[in-house]
């Protein structure tokens, strides 16, 4: 077994390092198999390094840089420093063992994002959930979960929301289908609390819109998704899709463009933020 790399939740820096190493190998004209044969690095490990599933140990990274002919000391130091920073998970470290791997990856990326464009068809976006609603959503979605599991997930969800309260807060544009407003998650009292909080969520860095029933069929009907963009231009946008079949990350440019277009169509179909807040309050007022 090759021990030159260890598994960890991906971070933006690890994703960037993986892209840099893929680019260097491609530029060198070598296949993974050839690199493996010439360096002794297991080909499966090399694949995991290039797909941001593991962080290479320093000796492995140095061997790859040597093989790819990276001789500039500043460039080598830059990539080595990037590798060192790739393990920084912050508060998420305490919840890593309690969360599904792909969800942990999503939170890690979200924590470093500049902005998130989120469409939800079934529930209020996690970044805008109140505690009682979050607890009801998690308990309902995972009926076999014990109380400790539910509480750990609720804690993690609420900690995510700190990104909206930072001095330089995350920019969130959230669009929900009107069905989200009417589904009685946790009962009328919980829904009233959640909807009133959602109606009041508007801030300079937070936009909330609702796609009303009257629109009919729309591009968001196949399911929810989130598009993340990052402060550094070197980190391309990332699409996250959460489904019953599993979580999926998309980073190919055609996929990013496709979901960006879908989001623009949803934004155009949705009520404007003022009318959206008015509708949310109307629905909340009927909760008894």
């Amino acid at each position: 077994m090759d021990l030159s790399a260890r598994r960890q939740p991906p971070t933006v820096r690890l994703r960037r390092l993986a892209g840099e190493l893929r680019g260097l190998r491609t530029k060198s004209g070598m296949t993974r198999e050839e690199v493996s044969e010439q360096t002794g690095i297991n080909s499966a490990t090399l694949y995991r390094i290039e797909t941001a599933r593991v962080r290479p140990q320093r000796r492995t990274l140095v061997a790859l840089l040597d093989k790819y002919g990276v001789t500039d000391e500043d460039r080598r130091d830059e990539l080595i420093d990037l590798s060192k920073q790739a393990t920084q998970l912050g508060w998420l470290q305490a919840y890593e063992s309690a969360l599904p791997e792909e969800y942990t990856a999503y939170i890690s990326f979200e924590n470093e994002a500049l902005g998130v464009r989120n469409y939800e068809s079934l529930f209020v976006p996690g970044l805008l959930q109140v505690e009682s609603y979050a607890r009801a959503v998690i308990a309902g979605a995972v009926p076999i979960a014990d109380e400790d599991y539910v509480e750990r997930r609720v804690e993690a969800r609420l900690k995510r929301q700190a990104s909206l309260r930072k001095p330089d807060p995350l920019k969130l544009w959230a669009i929900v289908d009107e069905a989200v407003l009417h589904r009685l998650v946790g009962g009328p009292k919980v829904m009233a609390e959640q909807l009133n909080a959602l109606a009041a969520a508007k801030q300079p860095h937070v936009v909330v819109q609702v796609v009303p029933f009257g629109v009919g069929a729309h591009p968001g009907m196949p399911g929810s998704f989130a598009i993340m963009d990052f402060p550094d231009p070197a980190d391309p946008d990332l699409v996250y899709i959460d489904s019953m079949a599993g979580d999926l990350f998309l980073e190919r440019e055609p996929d990013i463009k496709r979901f960006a277009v879908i989001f623009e169509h949803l934004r155009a179909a949705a009520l404007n933020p003022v009318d959206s807040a008015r509708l949310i309050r109307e629905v909340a007022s009927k909760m008894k």
Side-chain angles (χ1 to χ4, degrees):
M1 179 179 179
D2 191 326
L3 300 176
S4 61
R6 61 188 182 85
R7 191 174 186 80
Q8 70 160 83
T11 63
V12 171
R13 293 176 183 85
L14 185 60
R15 180 170 168 246
R16 189 191 308 170
L17 178 64
E20 295 279 4
L21 292 175
R22 284 197 310 272
L24 288 170
R25 180 179 57 77
T26 300
K27 187 176 179 180
S28 74
M30 289 187 284
T31 65
R32 288 196 191 98
E33 290 71 22
E34 289 171 335
V35 174
S36 177
E37 289 176 2
Q38 296 176 31
T39 62
I41 300 171
N42 184 284
S43 59
T45 296
L46 186 57
Y47 170 79
R48 291 195 293 272
I49 289 171
E50 290 192 356
T51 54
R53 300 189 181 206
V54 294
R55 179 180 71 88
Q57 289 190 358
R58 182 186 175 92
R59 65 174 178 273
T60 302
L61 179 56
V62 168
L64 291 174
L65 297 180
D66 289 343
K67 176 51 61 177
Y68 299 149
V70 180
T71 57
D72 182 86
E73 287 301 322
D74 289 340
R75 178 67 168 145
R76 290 171 71 93
D77 289 344
E78 175 190 350
L79 294 173
I80 290 171
D81 287 343
L82 192 59
S83 179
K84 290 177 181 177
Q85 297 167 10
T87 58
Q88 296 175 3
L89 293 176
W91 65 265
L92 185 57
Q93 193 80 45
Y95 296 90
E96 184 183 350
S97 62
L99 301 174
E101 182 181 333
E102 295 302 323
Y103 183 53
T104 302
Y106 172 77
I107 297 175
S108 174
F109 288 134
E110 179 188 80
N111 195 47
E112 299 183 65
L114 175 67
V116 174
R117 286 164 284 171
N118 187 191
Y119 167 72
E120 295 291 348
S121 58
L122 300 175
F123 48 78
V124 172
L127 285 169
L128 299 176
Q129 291 179 10
V130 299
E131 183 175 348
S132 59
Y133 182 92
R135 183 172 289 104
V137 164
I138 293 167
V142 191
I144 61 172
D146 60 28
E147 185 176 344
D148 181 65
Y149 174 88
V150 173
E151 290 306 311
R152 296 282 283 173
R153 289 290 297 267
V154 171
E155 287 177 19
R157 185 156 300 180
L158 296 178
K159 281 186 176 292
R160 284 172 55 197
Q161 297 174 6
S163 62
L164 296 175
R165 300 188 293 271
K166 298 185 298 185
D168 184 17
L170 176 74
K171 295 176 178 62
L172 173 64
W173 197 303
I175 301 178
V176 300
D177 190 279
E178 187 178 345
V180 170
L181 312 183
H182 297 277
R183 185 175 298 279
L184 286 177
V185 174
K189 183 177 179 181
V190 169
M191 279 305 299
E193 178 190 7
Q194 175 62 78
L195 292 180
N196 284 321
L198 185 63
K202 185 181 182 303
Q203 300 178 59
H205 60 284
V206 177
V207 176
V208 176
Q209 288 184 268
V210 178
V211 180
F213 286 144
V215 166
H218 61 76
M221 293 178 71
S224 305
F225 62 91
I227 308 171
M228 292 172 280
D229 59 88
F230 303 93
D232 194 317
D235 301 317
D237 291 359
L238 187 64
V239 171
Y240 173 73
I241 302 171
D242 180 9
S243 72
M244 292 290 286
D247 299 352
L248 181 65
F249 288 101
L250 304 175
E251 54 185 329
R252 294 175 59 249
E253 187 173 347
D255 292 324
I256 302 298
K257 288 183 177 179
R258 177 162 58 92
F259 277 92
V261 168
I262 290 173
F263 194 86
E264 288 305 308
H265 278 286
L266 289 169
R267 188 165 70 170
L271 298 172
N272 64 50
V274 173
D275 290 340
S276 293
R278 183 178 298 116
L279 174 60
I280 295 169
R281 289 193 180 94
E282 288 176 1
V283 175
S285 69
K286 298 174 184 177
M287 299 291 175
K288 298 180 180 178

